[in-house]
């Protein structure tokens, strides 16, 4: 993944989460991964197209998703209902959109696909060919992993 | 090749059958030549033929896309079939015209550049033979069949497969299907891996217990894998090491010892811009590139000094060419500085200054050099999404992998390097595989692919 793409994603994830959760967010060490990976329980995915092709996956477990949805809505949400799903989807959309805006300022053209959300137990995402950058974020609500896989169109 | 193919063709036909077929002409194709061989495309896919030039270059497009062209108001993309199939392409001036076939697949129109357009030939579709595996130049998948007409053999391309929208990245698939190198990759990988343990138990310094121990600790401290790639250096260094140290103090006890041992390993101009004589030595050893675009893969580029050095050296050698360098490293800290590296003109060799511009914080490389390089945070052990390349610059990187990983990376080199392409290794590294010939002298370890 091009070096120029890394910072916009890391920064916008950090800024957006800090703002919507009104809390201290910590960023973990970045690393690369290419094998299939288990999904913790709730995964929001946004596709990228344009100069590049790729996707951004936001992965967290269900309690974290519920706590984040509660914090963002200012009310207690206890089950993965439509509102909870819409909130997580919106979070994914906000982070990706802000990153894409930053990239646009740097001269890279990306388009987004509407986000989709997957929930369930024992899920796994595998596309072995694609190498993903993992940005782990620690929030008071729990751990969120942002998995960015982008490659240049050959 | 064509003689063999003709035999196969003849063997499948009886004379009476041949006569019957010739009567019924139901397939027409436009014939053209690429690198001296005859090809055909179904006339139903050909909208028209044209001569055109001065295509508008599209940045960031695949190497075989020459640009876009305005065909009476329709903007169509122009694809160079010769580049796409890694065939030699004649270099033309900017102003001269290229022979174009305007093709239509589904609703898309686009132009392909070929060497010469010949004529329209009518044949009987029953006479089309399936592609023969010996047609090595072009992936069998993209060939509809071959047909003989008036003593000439035509290879009929399957345009739908070549340019199908869902198959937008033919390039990605091609390396895998260029069967020879890809299949050989695995045994080659095994060869590198197998050679290392064999020499470990062998004669000379490797048989020495201390040498054994140094091998292991080098890997543990610095992930330096002694193998066929660097064994010559390792043996020479061990002899030197024995002279430098007391016999009781031969082993590497900590990282600092490993660093001391490796001191003489690093290539010239590591961690700095290449000096003019080293850059000249490397570039003059590289084979000449005839095509207008030069692709380079630079795994393990570190902070990017060698990438910039090669970019400038290639720019000086090929002022007109389109140069693209895919540079990657798995060290995030090192590579994240690379795209915006700042220099002071006093500290760089003189010949770089022409290619730099003054910025707010100091001098940086100019846009043309910077745009030719993609710096990527990437681990070469994952799948490598680079297109086929002319050169691979990989100095002192292979040695810092385990023997098995070295084999895998060399397998990828064989898959990604074009025929006649070259690999630049570190000064103290050696290409362990068959099918590569050393051409560089002294510190410029350049190997050209011969098979």
């Amino acid at each position: 993944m091009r070096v120029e793409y890394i910072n916009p994603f890391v920064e916008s994830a950090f800024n957006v989460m800090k703002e919507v959760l009104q809390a201290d967010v910590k960023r973990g060490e970045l690393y690369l991964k290419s094998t299939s990976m288990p999904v913790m329980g709730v995964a929001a995915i946004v596709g990228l197209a344009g100069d590049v092709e790729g996707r951004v996956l936001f992965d967290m477990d269900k309690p974290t998703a519920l706590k984040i949805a509660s914090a963002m809505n200012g009310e207690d949400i206890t089950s993965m209902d439509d509102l909870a799903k819409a909130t997580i989807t919106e979070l994914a959309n906000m982070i990706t959109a802000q990153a894409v805006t930053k990239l646009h300022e740097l001269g890279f053209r990306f388009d987004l696909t509407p986000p989709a959300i997957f929930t369930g137990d024992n899920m796994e995402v595998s596309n072995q060919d694609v190498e993903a950058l993992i940005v782990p974020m620690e929030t008071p609500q729990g751990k969120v992993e942002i998995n960015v896989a982008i490659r240049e169109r050959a | 090749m064509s003689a063999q193919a003709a035999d196969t063709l003849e063997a499948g036909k009886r004379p009476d059958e041949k006569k019957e077929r010739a009567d019924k002409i139901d397939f027409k194709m436009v014939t053209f030549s690429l690198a001296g061989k005859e090809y055909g495309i179904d006339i139903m896919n050909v909208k028209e033929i044209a001569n055109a030039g001065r295509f508008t270059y599209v940045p960031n497009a695949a190497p075989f896309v020459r640009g876009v062209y305005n065909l009476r108001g329709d903007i169509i993309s122009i694809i160079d079939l010769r580049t796409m199939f890694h065939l030699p392409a004649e270099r033309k001036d900017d102003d001269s015209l290229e022979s174009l076939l305007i093709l239509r697949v589904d609703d898309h129109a686009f132009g392909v550049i070929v060497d010469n357009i010949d004529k329209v030939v009518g044949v009987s579709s029953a006479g089309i033979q399936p592609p023969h595996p010996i047609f090595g130049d072009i992936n069998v998948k993209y060939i509809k069949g071959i047909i003989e007409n008036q003593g000439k053999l035509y290879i009929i391309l399957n345009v739908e497969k070549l340019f199908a929208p869902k198959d937008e990245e033919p390039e990605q698939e091609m390396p895998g299907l260029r069967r020879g190198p890809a299949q050989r990759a695995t045994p080659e990988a095994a060869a590198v891996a197998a050679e290392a343990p064999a020499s470990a138990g062998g004669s000379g310094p490797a048989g020495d217990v201390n040498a054994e121990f140094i091998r292991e600790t080098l890997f543990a401290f610095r992930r330096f894998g002694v193998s066929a790639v660097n064994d010559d250096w390792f043996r020479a260094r061990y002899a030197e090491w024995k002279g430098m140290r007391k016999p009781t103090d031969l082993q590497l006890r900590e990282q600092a010892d490993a660093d001391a041992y490796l001191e003489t390993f690093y290539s010239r101009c590591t961690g700095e811009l290449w000096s003019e004589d080293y850059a000249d030595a490397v570039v003059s050893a590289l084979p000449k590139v005839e095509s207008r675009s030069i692709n380079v893969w630079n795994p393990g580029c570190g902070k990017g000094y060698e990438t910039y050095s090669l970019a400038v050296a290639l720019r000086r050698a090929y002022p007109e060419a389109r140069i693209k360098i895919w540079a990657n490293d798995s060290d995030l800290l090192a590579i994240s500085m690379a795209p915006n590296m700042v220099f002071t003109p006093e500290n760089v060799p003189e010949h770089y200054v022409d290619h730099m511009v003054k910025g707010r914080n100091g001098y940086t490389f100019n846009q043309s050099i910077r745009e030719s390089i993609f710096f990527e945070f990437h681990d070469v052990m994952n799948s490598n999404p680079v297109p086929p390349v002319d050169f691979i610059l990989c100095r002192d990187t292979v040695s810092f992998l385990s023997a098995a990983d070295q084999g895998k990376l060399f397998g990828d080199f064989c898959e990604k390097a074009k025929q006649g392409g070259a690999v630049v290794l570190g000064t103290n590294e050696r290409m362990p595989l068959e099918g590569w010939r050393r051409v560089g002298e002294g510190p410029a370890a350049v190997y050209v692919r011969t098979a």
Side-chain angles (χ1 to χ4, degrees):
Chain A
M1 187 164 103
R2 276 186 79 167
V3 175
E4 290 91 333
Y5 302 158
I6 297 176
N7 255 335
F9 279 99
V10 175
E11 274 173 28
S12 66
F14 186 79
N15 293 342
V16 170
M17 289 180 94
K18 201 169 162 176
E19 200 180 318
V20 299
L21 298 174
Q22 297 287 337
D24 236 10
V25 177
K26 277 201 218 69
R27 173 171 74 71
E29 197 73 12
L30 309 183
Y31 60 99
L32 292 167
K33 204 167 176 180
S34 97
T35 46
S36 63
M37 45 176 300
V39 171
M40 290 188 260
V42 178
I45 186 166
V46 186
L48 297 170
D51 288 351
V52 296
E53 50 195 12
R55 50 136 180 96
V56 188
L57 189 89
F58 298 80
D59 186 16
M60 62 201 90
D61 59 20
K62 210 169 139 192
T64 308
L66 289 173
K67 280 186 216 157
I68 289 179
S70 306
M72 284 174 72
N73 284 298
E75 59 181 272
D76 220 15
I77 296 174
T78 51
S79 71
M80 251 349 249
D81 55 10
D82 282 352
L83 180 63
K85 285 180 189 165
T87 313
I88 299 301
T89 318
E90 183 53 23
L91 178 66
N93 210 10
M94 283 163 78
I95 293 175
T96 318
Q98 197 178 100
V100 167
T101 310
K102 282 184 183 168
L103 285 164
H104 208 108
E105 282 158 12
L106 295 172
F108 301 105
R109 286 193 62 97
F110 284 62
D111 288 321
L112 298 186
T113 63
I117 190 159
F118 301 87
T119 55
D121 298 325
N122 287 327
M123 291 193 300
E124 194 182 85
V125 174
S126 29
N127 40 0
Q128 302 264 4
D129 282 1
V130 183
E131 183 186 57
L133 170 77
I134 314 288
V135 186
M137 307 288 290
E138 287 288 348
T139 72
Q141 283 79 14
K143 192 172 85 171
V144 178
E145 265 192 12
I146 303 168
N147 177 314
V148 189
I150 303 178
R151 69 168 173 214
E152 303 301 306
R153 293 174 76 101
Chain B
M1 184 174 88
S2 53
Q4 270 179 310
D7 286 343
T8 357
L9 207 77
E10 290 304 322
K13 279 186 192 170
R14 284 185 299 275
D16 53 327
E17 215 178 309
K18 203 168 164 183
K19 189 165 165 263
E20 199 186 328
R21 277 180 193 169
D23 292 340
K24 203 172 137 240
I25 290 175
D26 59 359
F27 183 81
K28 283 190 175 175
M29 59 183 186
V30 180
T31 62
F32 58 89
S33 64
L34 292 177
K37 278 195 206 109
E38 308 290 332
Y39 295 85
I41 284 182
D42 186 347
I43 201 165
M44 298 310 286
N45 289 119
V46 180
K47 204 171 150 223
E48 60 180 281
I49 58 175
N51 280 316
R54 290 180 161 273
F55 308 116
T56 309
Y57 168 58
V58 182
N60 230 349
F64 54 78
V65 176
R66 279 282 288 273
V68 293
Y69 179 63
N70 186 339
L71 181 78
R72 294 184 300 275
D74 287 330
I75 306 294
I76 58 170
S77 32
I78 303 296
I79 287 157
D80 196 331
L81 269 193
R82 300 163 301 192
T83 318
M84 196 164 178
F85 293 139
H86 312 301
L87 296 170
E90 173 192 351
R91 232 174 130 150
K92 286 195 177 169
D93 298 336
D94 269 331
D95 286 335
S96 63
L97 299 178
E98 301 272 19
S99 299
L100 272 186
L101 280 166
I102 313 291
L103 304 182
R104 184 171 35 205
V105 177
D106 297 331
D107 287 324
H108 297 283
F110 44 79
V112 299
I113 299 174
V114 299
D115 282 335
N116 272 309
I117 297 172
D118 191 18
K119 59 187 174 215
V120 177
V121 174
V123 295
S124 159
S125 61
I128 299 175
Q129 303 278 314
H132 197 276
I134 56 170
F135 278 86
D137 290 6
I138 296 182
N139 199 323
V140 171
K141 196 175 140 188
Y142 301 126
I143 299 177
K144 197 180 255 172
I146 49 177
I147 184 129
E148 188 207 18
N149 184 267
Q150 296 179 342
K152 272 188 184 171
L153 275 179
Y154 294 98
I155 301 171
I156 305 172
L157 295 180
N158 190 335
V159 180
E160 283 90 352
K161 281 246 175 79
L162 258 178
F163 298 116
K166 64 171 168 15
D167 210 352
E168 261 175 59
E169 293 170 82
E171 223 193 353
Q172 293 255 325
E173 300 188 25
M174 294 180 72
L177 282 145
R178 285 190 299 162
R179 294 240 161 69
Q183 270 183 355
R184 244 180 292 129
T186 331
E188 274 160 355
V192 181
E195 205 171 320
S199 58
S203 56
D208 193 321
V209 180
N210 279 322
E212 252 337 273
F213 195 79
I214 289 177
R215 267 169 200 276
E216 278 168 29
T217 40
L218 276 180
F219 190 72
F221 285 132
R222 280 289 171 236
R223 299 200 56 79
F224 183 91
V226 179
S227 72
V229 176
N230 45 37
D231 202 47
D232 294 347
W233 171 82
F234 180 79
R235 285 158 190 259
R237 178 65 177 160
Y238 182 68
E240 209 177 272
W241 188 253
K242 275 205 287 200
M244 280 161 59
R245 296 273 184 140
K246 278 182 272 174
T248 49
D249 193 24
L250 280 179
Q251 296 178 358
L252 312 175
R253 291 196 175 78
E254 54 192 19
Q255 262 183 15
D257 289 342
D259 289 342
Y261 193 94
L262 289 176
E263 212 165 64
T264 64
F265 175 73
Y266 298 101
S267 304
R268 273 189 62 188
C269 309
T270 292
E272 59 183 21
L273 291 172
W274 294 356
S275 63
E276 191 164 6
D277 59 324
Y278 180 68
D280 286 347
V282 171
V283 170
S284 60
L286 290 174
K288 284 274 160 285
V289 179
E290 297 302 331
S291 126
R292 283 172 150 269
S293 69
I294 303 175
N295 289 342
V296 184
W297 179 25
N298 180 202
C301 65
K303 295 195 170 91
Y305 288 107
E306 63 177 25
T307 321
Y308 283 118
S309 305
L310 184 70
V312 169
L314 286 175
R315 174 58 69 214
R316 281 154 58 98
Y318 301 95
E320 298 297 318
R322 230 179 303 138
I323 298 167
K324 267 194 186 179
I325 305 183
W326 281 261
N328 49 247
D329 203 285
S330 58
D331 181 347
L332 181 59
L333 264 183
I335 195 154
S336 52
M337 308 303 285
N340 298 309
M341 219 194 303
V342 177
F343 303 87
T344 46
E346 296 78 44
N347 297 341
V348 301
E350 205 177 316
H351 70 287
Y352 291 102
V353 179
D354 288 349
H355 298 272
M356 292 185 168
V357 287
K358 196 173 181 344
R360 257 177 302 160
N361 308 319
Y363 280 76
T364 58
F365 279 101
N366 65 25
Q367 207 176 0
S368 139
I369 296 290
R370 289 201 341 206
E371 278 181 357
S372 63
I373 306 173
F374 289 164
F375 283 109
E376 295 182 311
F377 177 41
H378 167 66
D379 186 343
V380 286
M381 285 302 115
N382 295 336
S383 78
N384 290 304
V386 291
V389 292
D390 300 283
F391 306 131
I392 296 172
L393 174 62
C394 188
R395 303 187 320 151
D396 305 344
T397 299
V398 181
S399 292
F400 290 88
L401 296 170
S402 71
D405 287 350
Q406 292 178 3
K408 181 182 174 296
L409 189 56
F410 278 125
D412 279 7
F413 284 2
C414 294
E415 192 184 309
K416 297 295 182 186
K418 291 181 188 169
Q419 194 69 23
V423 173
V424 183
L425 293 176
T427 309
N428 293 309
E429 291 175 320
R430 182 171 72 79
M431 171 59 89
L433 305 181
E434 302 272 318
W436 296 81
R437 185 168 47 88
R438 176 157 182 154
V439 291
E441 295 293 325
V446 178
Y447 291 84
V448 171
R449 182 173 186 173
T450 54

